[in-house]
Amino acid sequence: MSLLIILALTTLLCPAAAVLGRRAGRDAGWPLAAGLLVLAGALVAVWNGRGDADAVSQQIPWMPTLGVTFHLRLDGLGLFFGLIVLVIGAVVIGYSARYLAKGSHSAFYTLMTFFAAAMLGLVLADDVVLLFVMWEFTTLCSFLLIARSGPHAKDPAIRTFLVTMAGGLCLLAAVVAMWVATGTTRLSDILVDDVWSTSPGFAAFVAVLIALAAFTKSAQFPFHAWLPDAMVAITPVSAYLHAAAMVKAGIYLMLRFSTALSEVPVWNVLLISVGLFTALMGAVFALQRNDLKELLAYSTVSQLGFLTATIGIGTSYAVVGAVVHVAAHALFKSALFMSLGVVDHQAGSRDIRKLSGLARTMPVTAVVMTLAAVSMAGVVPLFGFVSKEAMFKAMAESPAPTAAVWLVGAVAVLAASFTFAYSARMIITIFPGRPAQDPPKEASAAFLAPVALVSVAGLVLGLAGVLAEPLLGAAAAAVAGPDAEPHLGLWHGLAPELYMSVAVFTLGTILVLARRSVDRLLDRELSPITGVGTVEALRGGSVALGAWIGGLTRADAPYRHLVPPVVVLVALTVVGVFTVDVPPLHGDVTRPLDWVLLGVVLVGVLLALGVRSRIALVTIIGVVGFAVALWFYELGAADVALTQLLVEILTVVVIVLLLNRLPSTFHRTGKRRSTTAAVVAVLAGTSAAVATWALTGRRGLSDAGQYFLAEAKTETGGSNVVNTILVDFRALDTLGELTVLGVAGIAIVVALESRGLLPKLHSPITEPPGSPISDAGDNTMVLRVTERLLGPVIVVLSLFFLLRGHYQPGGGFIAALIGAAGISLVYLSAQDDRVSRLGVPYVKLIGAGVAVAVVVGLLGLAEGSFLRALHFDVFGVAITTALFFDVGVYLAVVGVILAAVSRLGVEEKEPPPLRRVGSTAVDGPAPRPTPTTDEPHHPSTAPMDLSSIRVLDRSSGRPSGASAEHPDRPRGDDS
């Protein structure tokens, strides 16, 4: 089985978990745990079958044009962390099968399995871009798992996300820097590149970024607060997050880069100082806590500090010590959290002040939890003692100056002594003594089995550490070379690490015996500043800053929005005039038609400046737009001209719909304001003209343009270069613009549904009796006839331009604009906007368009790259997937225009007014009086029928009470 298959199967456990969690409820944990164990066995099988190779490597193309591959590599370190992820994950998920209440747990199991898949992808990634993506997936998983714990978990989840996301940005910066400096994204090549030794400035810069990223993930000071804060999550999440996921990602990152950065002073100093301070701080805070979960959370912070400091020493044996303690920590911390869950589940409390005598009624829980706590305390003969001795040995053998070695050792001993103290406090408080009046019962065997498995494993490996030497040795050797050999035993002679352990036991015992005095000493706030408070202050400050910046333009006054870009534009122009070297023009600078069209545009602009009527202004601007479209066509840009022409038509329709809601004329402005606006307009126009003159003009094509002209037919099979650029060469840009357009369409719907952004003006006037506009049928007759004749033609024309776009002027966007023109005609020909025939789910069209474009992009992976067009023949006709990408563009654009027309044009949600025919109420306007044979009709002398007097809503331009031709058709409302 290959690495890709193992990772794919781990990922496929997510949808399986969703189904099982819904069908089997909490019992879904058992098959999911079995699946993870099988995958762990497959990982070992791949490692054992590698032959003489040091590592197993496999890759598939991902982003070949960027040199980024989906590259997986299994070496000793990857195997070690991969097994921790899968095995501990299996144990925790199996434990969840009895911890969780009965019922559906689809979301929990889905996120937990995806967490495992993300962590496995992280430790197997041999490409720094892939490493970063998996790193961010773990951040997302932790956020979702914490947030789903209930309303009280919202703020802790957000704080966790903000801190770890900040570390992700640091990692991203490091990835980019390494990519640029080494010219590759392959991690194994980057780590052995000469740049680490030849460029000390670069090495120090990347070292700081890597350290910051790891500190945020592994809860090192000053980023430690999120880990205790995240204890609002349920116990299985905490157990997995602390023992095998999330926090271990930061340790893995530091171990992976430890050899490359071992000679970088800032790396060593930063890791050792921050790690030891965090270890001591976390241990003291843990000793203060009475809630068992908070105690264990701070103990994790402390233990991660030990690991960070050990890695920072930089020697081969330091890597060994860190690897051994990672294994020990995964065992005792998962056992402790799961034991805590058992106690909380059975006793209903986590407060050590309310728990006592549990050893009498819960003896098995007492044994397994005591074994795990003793291992965390580093007491013989548990595996925690072996790992603590390994770290002490690495610190004692550090190549640092003697004074520094003594200082590091003293701080480590002090922190370990506090670890001994809070571990003992936890056990001797809740298990001995008399049980409560209503003592809890022992948990079921199925509930305790996963806990006992990892707890007893700590005892077995402590007594027979040789069993773990091959795996741990391979992990250390993958980073530090073959000299990094662990010798896992309980006795190594009278060595410095033994004396350090004796000091820990002695000082720790004193702290336990004097625990009442210690409790009184620590029963206070040790610092006026808390980590959670700091994160919350930064969060609140960033929100306030964003609100302040947004407030600068939060106004209806246009100048608030126009001044900033105009100032920037003018500044860039001034700088460009003195710095840009403008190449000479080629050929004729102008043609006679250019001056004619320029004159039309100029006249239109001057007329627009003096007109006060809004509808007249729309007409004039439309003329200017048509002139620009003709100019594009005259210059040979048929696609752009056609797009401009269609946009002008649809813009007029949309603006007229908006004008219904505005006064018919502009308000008068003062001379000062007019003068200011004129100056700003002249500056902006001059700057734009200068920039256009400098950057464009008849100066020949750029290298990119020449490439597109020369290679479009060969590379894409299309002869319309404009379309091939949009859907082939730069399809990713088009997909991004398509997504933004879709979001804009949805924003239109949301904004207009808010019922207040576009207030109506109610200025009713009365129509004279018999007025043509009082009858919707007569008023729309011409448009209805036109729509019936031209509707099919527009549809065919739209499809024609869609299909020919790859070879002739056209494409998805132009075709969609043509179709949208037909849609506008359908709307305008309806007799009443409330029952217009636009019963199309435009939001679904937008989503379908984006989805089609994405799916077409995924098909390109068959040729090695996202959005690469595939070419094939159907009955001798050449077909390209770029056509289907254009279909996605078509659907999304049509959906957006439908949304604009439907929501801007339809003003009321209630059905049209009813009229009575006899005793039956029917839709539609009242018919006009018809003359009878007995009495001729004389409009001028006939008595006024009050029912024929209609109220005309100036804002809509139609009589209130008008109805549609087809009242039985649904209205185009997709809200």
Side-chain angles (χ1 to χ4, degrees):
M1 188 179 293
S2 68
L3 296 176
L4 286 170
I5 293 177
I6 292 174
L7 183 57
L9 290 176
T10 309
T11 306
L12 288 176
L13 280 179
C14 301
V19 175
L20 287 173
R22 188 177 300 109
R23 300 292 181 128
R26 67 176 187 175
D27 290 333
W30 299 119
L32 293 173
L36 290 177
L37 288 176
V38 170
L39 292 171
L43 202 65
V44 174
V46 170
W47 174 256
N48 290 335
R50 72 191 188 283
D52 296 332
D54 293 332
V56 180
S57 183
Q58 191 174 4
Q59 65 179 6
I60 58 173
W62 186 17
M63 292 180 278
T65 55
L66 297 177
V68 179
T69 59
F70 198 94
H71 203 134
L72 302 179
R73 185 172 183 268
L74 180 66
D75 61 2
L77 190 66
L79 174 67
F80 170 63
F81 275 93
L83 290 179
I84 288 180
V85 168
L86 296 174
V87 174
I88 300 297
V91 172
V92 173
I93 289 178
Y95 166 85
S96 303
R98 285 298 170 267
Y99 177 86
L100 300 174
K102 293 182 179 180
S104 176
H105 295 284
S106 177
F108 168 77
Y109 283 125
T110 301
L111 289 173
M112 286 290 283
T113 50
F114 187 61
F115 210 168
M119 278 297 301
L120 184 62
L122 172 67
V123 301
L124 295 180
D126 195 34
D127 187 283
V128 288
V129 176
L130 178 61
L131 174 75
F132 170 74
V133 171
M134 295 299 178
W135 179 277
E136 292 301 280
F137 275 150
T138 63
T139 298
L140 180 62
C141 286
S142 63
F143 167 72
L144 294 175
L145 282 168
I146 296 169
R148 68 178 301 275
S149 301
H152 59 288
K154 174 186 174 182
D155 289 336
I158 292 174
R159 288 190 288 264
T160 298
F161 183 79
L162 291 176
V163 172
T164 52
M165 182 60 71
L169 294 176
C170 292
L171 180 60
L172 177 61
V175 165
V176 173
M178 291 185 291
W179 188 354
V180 172
T182 63
T184 181
T185 61
R186 186 167 181 179
L187 179 59
S188 54
D189 291 340
I190 290 174
L191 292 175
V192 297
D193 197 277
D194 293 338
V195 69
W196 304 108
S197 57
T198 58
S199 180
F202 163 81
F205 174 69
V206 172
V208 172
L209 291 176
I210 295 291
L212 289 175
F215 288 172
T216 59
K217 212 75 158 183
S218 293
Q220 298 299 287
F221 178 84
F223 310 108
H224 62 283
W226 72 262
L227 192 56
D229 197 27
M231 289 303 96
V232 294
I234 61 175
T235 297
V237 173
S238 300
Y240 194 45
L241 189 147
H242 284 246
M246 193 65 172
V247 299
K248 289 297 193 293
I251 300 300
Y252 168 79
L253 187 69
M254 289 187 285
L255 278 171
R256 182 59 79 183
F257 281 86
S258 61
T259 301
L261 299 174
S262 61
E263 300 299 325
V264 180
V266 67
W267 170 265
N268 305 113
V269 172
L270 196 58
L271 264 62
I272 293 174
S273 58
V274 171
L276 287 177
F277 181 82
T278 304
L280 182 59
M281 177 197 68
V284 172
F285 287 168
L287 195 57
Q288 283 187 296
R289 274 15 187 212
N290 294 311
D291 185 294
L292 284 172
K293 205 170 186 182
E294 289 187 8
L295 187 155
L296 291 179
Y298 279 108
S299 77
T300 299
V301 172
S302 178
Q303 297 300 311
L304 295 173
F306 277 116
L307 285 168
T308 300
T310 304
I311 296 171
I313 292 172
T315 62
S316 297
Y317 200 82
V319 173
V320 172
V323 168
V324 176
H325 195 62
V326 167
H329 181 262
L331 293 174
F332 67 67
K333 192 49 62 79
S334 61
L336 283 169
F337 267 105
M338 290 188 291
S339 300
L340 158 67
V342 173
V343 171
D344 190 15
H345 190 275
Q346 299 299 116
S349 176
R350 302 194 307 246
D351 193 330
I352 62 176
R353 295 168 298 185
K354 299 178 181 179
L355 298 171
S356 65
L358 296 185
R360 297 188 180 185
T361 58
M362 302 176 64
V364 178
T365 302
V367 170
V368 296
M369 191 170 183
T370 299
L371 286 175
V374 171
S375 183
M376 181 169 66
V379 177
V380 178
L382 277 299
F383 197 42
F385 171 79
V386 177
S387 65
K388 183 196 63 180
E389 291 261 301
M391 290 192 297
F392 282 169
K393 180 180 180 181
M395 294 175 183
E397 295 177 353
S398 171
T402 304
V405 173
W406 276 92
L407 178 61
V408 168
V411 176
V413 166
L414 184 60
S417 301
F418 280 109
T419 302
F420 182 96
Y422 67 68
S423 300
R425 176 173 179 258
M426 179 172 55
I427 297 302
I428 65 177
T429 303
I430 67 175
F431 290 124
R434 293 183 179 182
Q437 293 181 353
D438 187 15
K441 298 179 181 180
E442 184 63 276
S444 65
F447 199 3
L448 286 171
V451 189
L453 179 66
V454 289
S455 184
V456 173
L459 175 61
V460 172
L461 292 179
L463 295 172
V466 66
L467 297 176
E469 284 185 3
L471 175 62
L472 301 181
V479 178
D483 293 337
E485 296 182 1
H487 300 287
L488 306 181
L490 298 175
W491 176 255
H492 296 287
L494 299 176
E497 58 268 26
L498 177 62
Y499 302 136
M500 295 171 73
S501 293
V502 171
V504 169
F505 297 151
T506 303
L507 185 55
T509 302
I510 294 173
L511 290 172
V512 173
L513 294 176
R515 61 183 181 275
R516 297 185 184 277
S517 300
V518 172
D519 289 345
R520 286 195 298 269
L521 181 64
L522 297 179
D523 188 20
R524 66 194 68 187
E525 292 292 337
L526 300 181
S527 172
I529 301 174
T530 63
V532 171
T534 302
V535 175
E536 195 60 33
L538 291 173
R539 174 189 170 193
S542 63
V543 172
L545 177 62
W548 177 77
I549 293 175
L552 297 177
T553 55
R554 192 180 295 117
D556 295 334
Y559 77 91
R560 288 280 192 96
H561 304 273
L562 293 176
V563 168
V566 168
V567 170
V568 172
L569 178 62
V570 172
L572 289 175
T573 303
V574 172
V575 173
V577 167
F578 296 101
T579 58
V580 176
D581 185 16
V582 180
L585 298 174
H586 295 291
D588 297 332
V589 176
T590 58
R591 301 171 188 173
L593 186 57
D594 292 336
W595 293 105
V596 174
L597 293 173
L598 179 61
V600 173
V601 172
L602 183 59
V603 170
V605 171
L606 293 176
L607 290 174
L609 292 176
V611 72
R612 291 196 63 226
S613 170
R614 295 180 188 270
I615 193 68
L617 180 63
V618 172
T619 305
I620 294 171
I621 293 177
V623 172
V624 173
F626 285 126
V628 173
L630 288 175
W631 209 342
F632 283 142
Y633 185 79
E634 188 263 339
L635 292 172
D639 281 278
V640 181
L642 190 56
T643 302
Q644 172 73 13
L645 183 64
L646 293 166
V647 168
E648 285 298 328
I649 294 172
L650 293 170
T651 300
V652 169
V653 173
V654 173
I655 289 180
V656 168
L657 294 176
L658 288 172
L659 291 183
N660 288 336
R661 308 166 187 269
L662 298 173
S664 59
T665 60
F666 293 100
H667 64 275
R668 294 186 179 277
T669 57
K671 183 175 295 185
R672 179 180 177 183
R673 186 168 183 179
S674 299
T675 303
T676 303
V679 172
V680 171
V682 170
L683 288 175
T686 303
S687 300
V690 171
T692 303
W693 177 265
L695 302 177
T696 61
R698 296 184 175 90
R699 294 188 172 86
L701 286 175
S702 63
D703 293 340
Q706 293 173 1
Y707 172 81
F708 291 142
L709 283 177
E711 303 296 334
K713 184 70 174 178
T714 304
E715 294 290 335
T716 69
S719 53
N720 181 5
V721 180
V722 174
N723 185 262
T724 58
I725 292 173
L726 292 176
V727 300
D728 284 286
F729 292 112
R730 297 182 63 185
L732 185 61
D733 288 346
T734 304
L735 178 61
E737 293 163 1
L738 180 64
T739 305
V740 172
L741 183 66
V743 172
I746 296 172
I748 290 173
V749 176
V750 174
L752 297 180
E753 286 294 330
S754 65
R755 304 288 295 183
L757 298 179
L758 296 172
K760 305 176 198 175
L761 296 178
H762 297 284
S763 301
I765 62 172
T766 58
E767 303 172 24
S771 172
I773 64 174
S774 66
D775 188 280
D778 290 350
N779 196 26
T780 59
M781 181 179 296
V782 175
L783 280 177
R784 281 185 286 124
V785 172
T786 304
E787 181 259 327
R788 289 178 179 176
L789 293 175
L790 292 183
V793 176
I794 293 176
V795 171
V796 173
L797 190 64
S798 176
L799 296 176
F800 171 73
F801 274 94
L802 173 65
L803 296 175
R804 79 194 293 258
H806 211 51
Y807 308 99
Q808 299 293 333
F813 189 70
I814 291 175
L817 293 177
I818 295 174
I823 291 170
S824 300
L825 184 59
V826 171
Y827 169 76
L828 294 174
S829 66
Q831 296 183 56
D832 190 292
D833 60 5
R834 291 166 294 178
V835 287
S836 64
R837 289 173 287 166
L838 298 180
V840 181
Y842 38 81
V843 174
K844 293 180 181 179
L845 274 182
I846 295 172
V850 177
V852 167
V854 172
V855 170
V856 171
L858 293 174
L859 293 177
L861 294 175
E863 292 290 332
S865 180
F866 180 64
L867 284 172
R868 181 182 292 277
L870 307 180
H871 303 275
F872 49 92
D873 292 335
V874 177
F875 302 114
V877 178
I879 303 294
T880 174
T881 55
L883 172 63
F884 302 104
F885 184 84
D886 253 345
V887 171
V889 175
Y890 184 95
L891 293 174
V893 173
V894 168
V896 170
I897 296 174
L898 264 173
V901 172
S902 296
R903 301 316 311 146
L904 288 173
V906 179
E907 295 185 359
E908 302 178 40
K909 291 188 175 182
E910 64 271 12
L914 302 178
R915 62 181 174 87
R916 291 200 170 271
V917 178
S919 60
T920 306
V922 297
D923 291 331
R928 296 169 64 184
T930 56
T932 64
T933 56
D934 296 331
E935 182 180 359
H937 178 57
H938 300 289
S940 60
T941 60
M944 181 177 295
D945 183 0
L946 296 178
S947 65
S948 67
I949 298 179
R950 307 300 180 87
V951 175
L952 180 67
D953 186 348
R954 187 188 299 269
S955 67
S956 64
R958 68 172 192 281
S960 62
S963 64
E965 180 184 3
H966 301 285
D968 57 327
R969 296 192 181 181
R971 166 177 160 270
D973 190 344
D974 192 54
S975 60

